[in-house]
C-alpha cells in the first residue's frame, strides 16, 4: 500500500494529502525518513573531499527534508486533533527523535568539518547570508556539546532524551486535564446570550444536554467575567488554574522538578553557571540581569496600579454582601462590572461587532494595504473540517499558502500559535511556505456567526503577525527562514501587528454588527480605544509573575520543589493577593513543553520594540505609511535570521528603543 507521507504530493502547492493520511502511515514513514536522514548524515561525515560550504553546510541544510515531510503533518494533527493513538505515537517518537538529533549535534566528524570551515572562513568567499549560516551552524554544534569528551557527549545525549520524553509527557498530561474537565451549568442567570450559545455548543460536543463550561480560555474567561454565582466562578477558576496539579497520572509537578534539574546539569556540562546563562547567551537580553532589570522596571508601576484596582474591586465585592478579601475568582467579574460602569463598555454589547470572519478579513486587508498581499480561498482537503485555507499572492505571484484553524474542540491543545508545515527557502528551489494559525475560539451553534472578544481579536492579529513573518521570508537557507530568530525578537512582528486592530479606520470598516451589519458607532469605537489600557495592572502583574518565576527557576541551582520556589519568588516581589501567575508551574507549557524556558520574558522584551516600531509609523505618514511598510518588510519580515536582531531593528528604526514606549502603551507611565 502506498504511503502518502513517502510519495510526492499530488495536492495543489505540494500540500500534504490529509484526506489520504491515516495514523497507520506515521510509524513506517518515520522509519523510512529516519533511515534516509541517517544515511545522508553518514555521507556528509565520510565525504573524502575537503570540507566546503556546499558539501557540509548546505548538505546539512537539506538533510532534514524527509523528516519534515513526515513530522510536519504528524505534529499538527497531534496538537489539534489528539487521540489515544496519536498520543501513543508521540511518546514513542520522542526518544527516537531526540536520539537522532543528539547523534547529529554531537557528531565529532560533523563538528570537525564545520570547525574547519569556521576557522578558514576568511578565505571562503562567502556571501553575508552564507557567513551568517556558517556562524550559526558552528555555534549550534558548540552549544550542543560536540566539543565535549566522549563521557560528556554520552551523558548529554541521555539528558536530551530524558528532557524530550518528559516534555512530551508534560504536554500530554496538560491536554488530558483540559480535555476531561467540564462543569454543567443549569443556572444561566446573568450570562449573556453569546456565552450561553458557546456553552451549548461545547455541551453538544461533549454529549451533554446541559450547557457546560470547559477549560477553553474562550469559555472559562467570559464565564468568570459574567457569572454572578461566586461558587461556580471559584470552581471554574480553580479547575483552570490547577491544570497539571490534580494528583494522579497527569500531575506535572514532579516532571517540572526533574526537567529543571536536567537543564541545570546540561548547562553545567557545557560550561555555563546556570541554564539561564546558557539560554540567554543567544538572545537579545544576553544575561539574566538584563531580563530582571526590564521586568523590575515594569513591575513596580504595574503592582501599584493593580493594588489600587484591587481596593476598588473589593469594595464592590463587599457591596454585594460578601465578607472577606477579594479572591482571584472575583477579579474578572468585578473588573468587567467596573469597566461597564466607568467606560460604558459591555462585553455583550461589544462582542457582536467582532465577528470571526470579519476579523480575518481585517487582518488580510491590513496586510494588503501594507505589503500588497492578496488572499484567495482554496477548496482543499485539510487536517480538520473546521480548518480553511487561502492562497497568498502579490502582483499575481504565489507567495504562500495560509491555513487557519480557529475553533476550540476536544483533543486540541489550548492556546494559540503559528507554525509552518513548510518553511520558505531557495536552496532546493523557490520553496514557498505553508503557514498555519491555530486558535481556540468558542465555536458557535450551527448557522450562527462566531463572535470574538476584543482580546480574541487581538490574538487573531497577533498570530497573523507571526504568519506574515513566515510568509514574507525571503532567504536562501531554511535554518534562518521566517521566525528562525532569537526568542526575544520573534514576538516583535506578532505584537506589532496587534496595533493595526486598534486603528480606527480598520474598526470602522470591519467591526460590523453580526445582526444589523452596521459599523460600530463612533462613540462605542472611542470607548473601546479609550479602554485599551483598562485593567493593565492585573494583566501586567500576572505576566511578570510568570516571567520572573521562569527566570528564577533557571538562573540558579534547580529547586527541589518548584512549587515552593514559585511561592518564594511571588512573595519576594509582593504579588497582589487576588492575582495569580498567568501560567502556574504545573501548566506552564511555554517553558516545560514549548521553547520558552528562561525566555517567557521575551513577550515583554519584544513589546518594548513593538510599541516603538508602531510609533515609527505614527511619526511618518500614519499606520499605513508605504515607506515604513517597505522598511518593515525589508529589514525585519523578509530578513529572518540573516543578522543579529539588534542590527535588524536598528536598520528599520535607526536606533534601539527604551522601556518608555512600553510603559506608555500599557498606561503605566504616570503611575506613582
Amino acid at each position: 500500500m502506498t504511503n502518502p507521507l513517502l510519495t510526492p504530493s499530488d495536492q495543489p502547492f505540494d500540500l500534504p494529502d490529509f484526506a489520504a493520511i491515516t495514523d497507520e502511515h506515521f510509524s513506517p514513514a518515520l522509519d523510512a525518513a529516519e533511515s534516509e536522514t541517517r544515511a545522508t548524515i553518514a555521507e556528509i561525515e565520510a565525504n573524502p573531499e575537503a570540507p566546503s560550504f556546499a558539501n557540509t553546510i548546505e548538505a546539512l541544510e537539506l538533510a532534514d527534508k524527509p523528516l519534515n515531510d513526515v513530522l510536519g503533518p504528524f505534529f499538527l494533527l497531534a496538537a489539534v486533533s489528539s487521540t489515544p493513538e496519536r498520543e501513543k505515537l508521540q511518546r514513542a517518537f520522542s526518544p527516537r527523535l531526540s536520539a537522532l538529533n543528539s547523534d547529529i549535534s554531537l557528531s565529532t566528524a560533523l563538528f570537525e568539518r564545520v570547525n574547519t570551515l569556521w576557522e578558514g572562513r576568511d578565505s571562503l568567499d562567502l556571501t553575508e547570508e552564507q557567513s551568517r549560516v556558517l556562524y550559526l551552524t558552528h555555534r549550534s554544534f558548540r552549544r550542543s556539546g560536540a566539543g565535549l569528551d566522549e563521557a560528556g557527549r554520552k551523558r548529554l545525549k541521555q539528558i536530551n532524551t530524558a528532557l524530550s520524553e518528559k516534555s512530551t509527557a508534560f504536554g500530554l498530561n496538560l491536554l488530558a486535564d483540559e480535555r476531561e474537565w467540564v462543569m454543567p451549568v443549569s443556572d444561566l442567570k446573568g450570562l449573556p446570550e453569546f456565552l450561553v450559545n458557546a456553552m451549548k455548543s461545547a455541551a453538544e460536543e461533549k454529549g451533554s444536554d446541559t450547557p457546560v463550561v470547559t477549560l477553553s480560555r474562550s469559555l472559562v474567561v467570559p464565564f468568570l467575567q459574567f457569572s454572578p454565582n461566586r461558587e461556580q466562578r471559584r470552581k471554574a477558576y480553580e479547575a483552570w488554574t490547577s491544570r497539571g496539579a490534580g494528583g494522579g497520572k497527569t500531575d506535572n509537578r514532579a516532571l517540572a522538578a526533574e526537567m529543571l534539574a536536567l537543564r541545570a546539569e546540561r548547562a553545567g556540562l557545557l560550561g555555563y553557571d546556570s541554564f539561564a546563562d546558557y539560554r540567554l547567551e543567544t538572545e537579545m537580553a544576553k544575561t539574566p540581569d538584563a531580563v530582571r532589570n526590564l521586568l523590575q522596571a515594569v513591575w513596580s508601576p504595574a503592582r501599584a496600579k493593580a493594588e489600587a484596582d484591587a481596593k476598588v474591586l473589593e469594595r464592590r465585592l463587599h457591596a454585594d454582601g460578601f465578607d472577606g478579601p477579594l479572591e482571584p475568582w472575583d477579579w474578572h467579574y468585578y473588573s468587567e462590572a467596573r469597566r461597564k460602569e466607568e467606560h460604558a463598555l459591555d462585553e455583550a454589547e461589544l462582542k457582536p461587532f467582532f465577528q470571526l470572519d470579519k476579523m480575518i478579513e481585517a487582518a488580510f486587508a491590513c496586510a494588503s494595504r501594507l505589503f500588497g498581499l492578496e488572499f484567495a480561498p482554496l477548496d482543499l482537503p485539510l487536517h480538520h473540517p473546521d480548518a480553511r485555507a487561502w492562497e497568498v499572492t502579490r502582483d499575481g505571484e504565489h507567495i504562500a499558502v495560509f491555513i487557519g484553524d480557529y475553533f476550540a474542540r476536544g483533543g486540541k491543545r489550548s492556546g494559540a500559535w503559528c507554525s509552518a508545515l513548510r518553511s520558505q527557502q531557495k536552496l532546493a528551489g523557490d520553496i514557498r511556505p505553508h503557514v498555519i494559525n491555530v486558535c481556540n475560539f468558542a465555536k458557535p451553534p450551527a448557522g450562527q456567526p462566531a463572535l470574538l472578544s476584543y482580546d480574541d481579536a487581538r490574538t487573531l492579529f497577533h498570530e497573523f503577525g507571526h504568519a506574515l513573518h513566515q510568509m514574507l521570508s525571503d532567504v536562501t537557507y531554511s535554518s534562518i527562514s521566517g521566525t528562525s530568530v532569537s526568542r526575544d525578537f520573534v514576538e516583535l512582528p506578532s505584537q506589532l501587528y496587534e496595533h493595526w486592530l486598534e486603528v480606527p479606520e480598520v474598526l470602522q470598516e470591519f467591526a460590523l454588527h453580526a445582526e444589523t451589519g452596521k459599523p460600530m458607532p463612533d462613540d462605542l469605537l472611542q470607548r473601546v480605544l479609550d479602554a485599551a489600557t483598562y485593567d493593565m495592572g492585573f494583566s501586567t502583574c500576572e505576566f511578570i509573575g510568570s516571567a520572573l518565576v521562569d527566570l528564577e527557576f533557571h538562573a540558579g541551582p534547580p529547586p527541589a520543589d518548584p512549587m515552593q520556589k514559585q511561592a518564594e519568588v511571588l512573595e519576594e516581589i509582593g504579588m497582589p493577593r487576588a492575582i495569580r501567575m498567568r501560567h502556574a508551574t504545573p501548566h506552564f507549557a511555554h517553558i516545560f513543553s514549548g521553547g520558552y524556558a528562561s525566555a517567557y520574558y521575551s513577550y515583554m522584551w519584544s513589546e518594548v520594540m513593538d510599541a516603538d516600531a508602531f510609533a515609527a509609523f505614527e511619526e511618518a505618514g500614519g499606520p499605513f505609511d508605504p515607506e515604513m511598510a517597505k522598511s518593515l518588510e525589508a529589514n525585519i519580515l523578509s530578513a529572518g535570521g540573516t543578522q543579529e536582531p539588534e542590527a535588524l531593528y536598528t536598520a528599520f528604526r535607526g536606533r534601539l528603543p527604551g522601556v518608555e514606549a512600553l510603559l506608555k502603551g500599557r498606561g503605566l507611565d504616570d503611575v506613582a
Side-chain angles (χ1 to χ4, degrees):
M1 177 177 284
T2 301
N3 189 323
L5 294 164
L6 298 176
T7 56
S9 173
D10 60 359
Q11 296 298 298
F13 311 107
D14 297 322
L15 283 163
D17 187 358
F18 285 106
I21 296 170
T22 67
D23 289 345
E24 289 73 24
H25 291 131
F26 286 114
S27 190
L30 182 59
D31 289 344
E34 180 181 356
S35 178
E36 184 177 350
T37 300
R38 286 188 178 278
T40 300
I41 295 299
E43 289 179 7
I44 301 172
E45 291 174 323
N47 192 333
E49 297 179 5
S52 69
F53 190 85
N55 70 21
T56 302
I57 304 300
E58 291 187 339
L60 286 170
E61 286 277 330
L62 298 172
D64 60 358
K65 182 184 185 304
L67 285 170
N68 290 340
D69 290 345
V70 174
L71 296 176
F74 172 73
F75 282 121
L76 173 61
L77 289 169
V80 303
S81 299
S82 184
T83 63
E85 176 59 27
R86 287 173 187 165
E87 291 178 14
K88 181 180 178 181
L89 288 171
Q90 277 185 274
R91 294 182 190 276
F93 289 175
S94 177
R96 287 182 56 184
L97 294 173
S98 176
L100 174 60
N101 288 333
S102 291
D103 287 345
I104 295 172
S105 63
L106 294 172
S107 167
T108 55
L110 288 178
F111 185 50
E112 286 176 4
R113 295 183 70 87
V114 172
N115 198 49
T116 297
L117 293 171
W118 175 248
E119 292 179 347
R121 58 191 180 278
D122 293 339
S123 64
L124 296 179
D125 193 27
L126 301 178
T127 66
E128 289 187 11
E129 187 176 340
Q130 288 173 331
S131 295
R132 176 69 173 170
V133 171
L134 174 58
Y135 164 73
L136 293 174
T137 304
H138 181 264
R139 186 180 73 176
S140 177
F141 273 97
R142 176 182 59 79
R143 285 170 48 83
S144 295
L148 295 177
D149 60 21
E150 184 177 353
R153 294 196 305 275
K154 180 180 179 181
R155 178 55 186 155
L156 202 56
K157 183 176 180 179
Q158 293 171 340
I159 291 173
N160 292 341
T161 298
L163 282 170
S164 178
E165 292 175 342
K166 294 178 190 301
S167 175
T168 298
F170 189 102
L172 292 178
N173 288 346
L174 184 55
L175 179 61
D177 280 4
E178 293 169 344
R179 180 175 56 217
E180 294 169 9
W181 189 89
V182 294
M183 183 178 75
V185 179
S186 55
D187 179 9
L188 304 177
K189 179 182 177 181
L191 303 184
E193 183 181 6
F194 77 83
L195 177 55
V196 173
N197 287 338
M199 291 165 62
K200 288 179 178 178
S201 181
E204 183 178 348
E205 183 190 351
K206 298 294 185 181
S208 171
D209 294 329
T210 304
V212 302
V213 174
T214 70
L215 296 184
S216 166
R217 179 178 288 273
S218 292
L219 266 185
V220 72
V221 170
F223 183 79
L224 293 171
Q225 287 177 301
F226 291 105
S227 175
N229 188 318
R230 194 183 190 204
E231 176 58 23
Q232 286 196 327
R233 291 203 311 269
R234 182 198 65 78
K235 184 178 179 182
Y237 183 86
E238 293 289 16
W240 172 246
T241 57
S242 298
R243 292 166 293 154
K249 63 181 181 180
T250 62
D251 196 299
N252 276 333
R253 287 173 287 189
L255 281 173
E258 292 162 4
M259 292 179 71
L260 292 173
L262 288 166
R263 286 172 180 164
E265 183 183 357
R266 180 186 182 193
L269 277 172
L270 294 169
Y272 294 86
D273 291 337
S274 71
F275 181 83
D277 287 295
Y278 163 76
R279 175 59 193 273
L280 296 174
E281 179 186 49
T282 60
E283 307 297 331
M284 290 184 73
K286 304 303 181 191
T287 68
D289 281 344
V291 174
R292 285 193 194 93
N293 290 341
L294 169 67
L295 296 177
Q296 291 292 351
V298 184
W299 173 254
S300 295
R303 183 179 182 274
K305 183 69 170 67
E307 292 283 19
D309 289 342
K311 292 178 181 179
V312 175
L313 302 185
E314 189 167 86
R315 288 196 292 269
R316 289 176 172 269
L317 173 74
H318 294 164
D320 278 353
F322 295 104
D323 296 328
L326 184 76
E327 299 288 355
W329 48 87
D330 296 321
W331 193 292
H332 288 86
Y333 180 72
Y334 288 105
S335 181
E336 177 63 25
R338 182 189 180 193
R339 184 178 76 143
K340 184 176 180 180
E341 180 179 300
E342 294 185 0
H343 293 278
L345 280 181
D346 182 350
E347 185 77 8
E349 175 192 12
L350 191 61
K351 201 154 186 172
F353 288 100
F354 289 95
Q355 301 175 66
L356 171 61
D357 286 350
K358 286 297 180 183
M359 291 301 101
I360 294 172
E361 285 184 38
F364 288 175
C366 291
S368 180
R369 289 185 65 180
L370 288 164
F371 310 115
L373 301 179
E374 299 295 336
F375 300 82
L378 294 171
D379 184 12
L380 299 170
L382 298 172
H383 61 275
H384 192 277
D386 286 345
R388 37 187 153 163
W390 294 264
E391 182 187 7
V392 186
T393 60
R394 178 159 55 187
D395 297 329
E397 179 185 357
H398 176 73
I399 297 295
V401 172
F402 174 68
I403 301 171
D405 183 351
Y406 296 107
F407 295 127
R409 54 182 175 267
K412 189 178 188 182
R413 196 179 86 203
S414 63
W417 66 92
C418 175
S419 61
L421 286 167
R422 185 174 77 178
S423 296
Q424 179 271 331
Q425 55 126 322
K426 299 176 184 176
L427 183 59
D430 186 13
I431 305 299
R432 302 308 309 169
H434 303 153
V435 184
I436 180 165
N437 277 177
V438 181
C439 299
N440 271 279
F441 304 139
K443 189 174 183 178
Q448 296 189 26
L451 304 180
L452 306 181
S453 68
Y454 191 59
D455 283 345
D456 286 339
R458 289 178 69 93
T459 296
L460 187 147
F461 268 67
H462 178 101
E463 298 306 333
F464 194 71
H466 281 309
L468 288 171
H469 203 180
Q470 294 275 21
M471 292 188 289
L472 292 173
S473 177
D474 186 23
V475 301
T476 301
Y477 300 98
S478 61
S479 64
I480 54 171
S481 174
T483 56
S484 297
V485 298
S486 65
R487 185 66 68 174
D488 51 12
F489 190 68
V490 76
E491 298 297 338
L492 169 60
S494 55
Q495 292 177 182
L496 174 59
Y497 205 67
E498 293 179 33
H499 288 273
W500 273 273
L501 177 62
E502 300 172 351
V503 174
E505 62 187 282
V506 174
L507 290 172
Q508 289 165 351
E509 182 175 358
F510 295 100
L512 306 180
H513 197 280
E515 294 181 3
T516 67
K518 293 182 178 180
M520 184 182 293
D522 290 343
D523 68 319
L524 179 57
L525 172 60
Q526 190 59 50
R527 281 179 275 145
V528 169
L529 297 176
D530 289 345
T533 60
Y534 177 72
D535 216 18
M536 197 58 77
F538 170 85
S539 61
T540 306
C541 282
E542 65 167 6
F543 172 82
I544 293 181
S546 296
L548 281 171
V549 167
D550 167 40
L551 182 66
E552 301 308 336
F553 273 169
H554 296 99
D561 183 351
M563 299 305 294
Q564 179 181 343
K565 181 67 173 180
Q566 171 185 301
E568 291 171 355
V569 173
L570 297 179
E571 181 178 2
E572 182 178 350
I573 64 174
M575 176 69 93
R577 184 185 185 282
I579 303 178
R580 295 183 185 173
M581 292 168 61
R582 182 172 298 177
H583 305 289
T585 297
H587 58 85
F588 207 163
H590 282 79
I591 69 171
F592 290 112
S593 62
Y596 284 82
S598 289
Y600 189 66
Y601 77 92
S602 60
Y603 290 94
M604 186 158 284
W605 192 278
S606 292
E607 190 177 339
V608 172
M609 290 180 286
D610 82 63
D612 181 66
F614 193 71
F617 278 87
E618 295 176 320
E619 293 164 8
F624 293 100
D625 182 78
E627 294 306 313
M628 290 306 303
K630 288 179 182 177
S631 179
L632 178 63
E633 179 178 353
N635 293 306
I636 295 176
L637 296 179
S638 71
T642 53
Q643 297 182 58
E644 290 295 319
E646 295 90 343
L648 295 175
Y649 190 83
T650 301
F652 165 69
R653 188 64 162 117
R655 56 167 173 76
L656 291 174
V659 74
E660 295 78 17
L662 179 149
L663 291 171
K664 182 179 179 181
R666 285 183 171 250
L668 301 173
D669 54 327
D670 59 353
V671 177

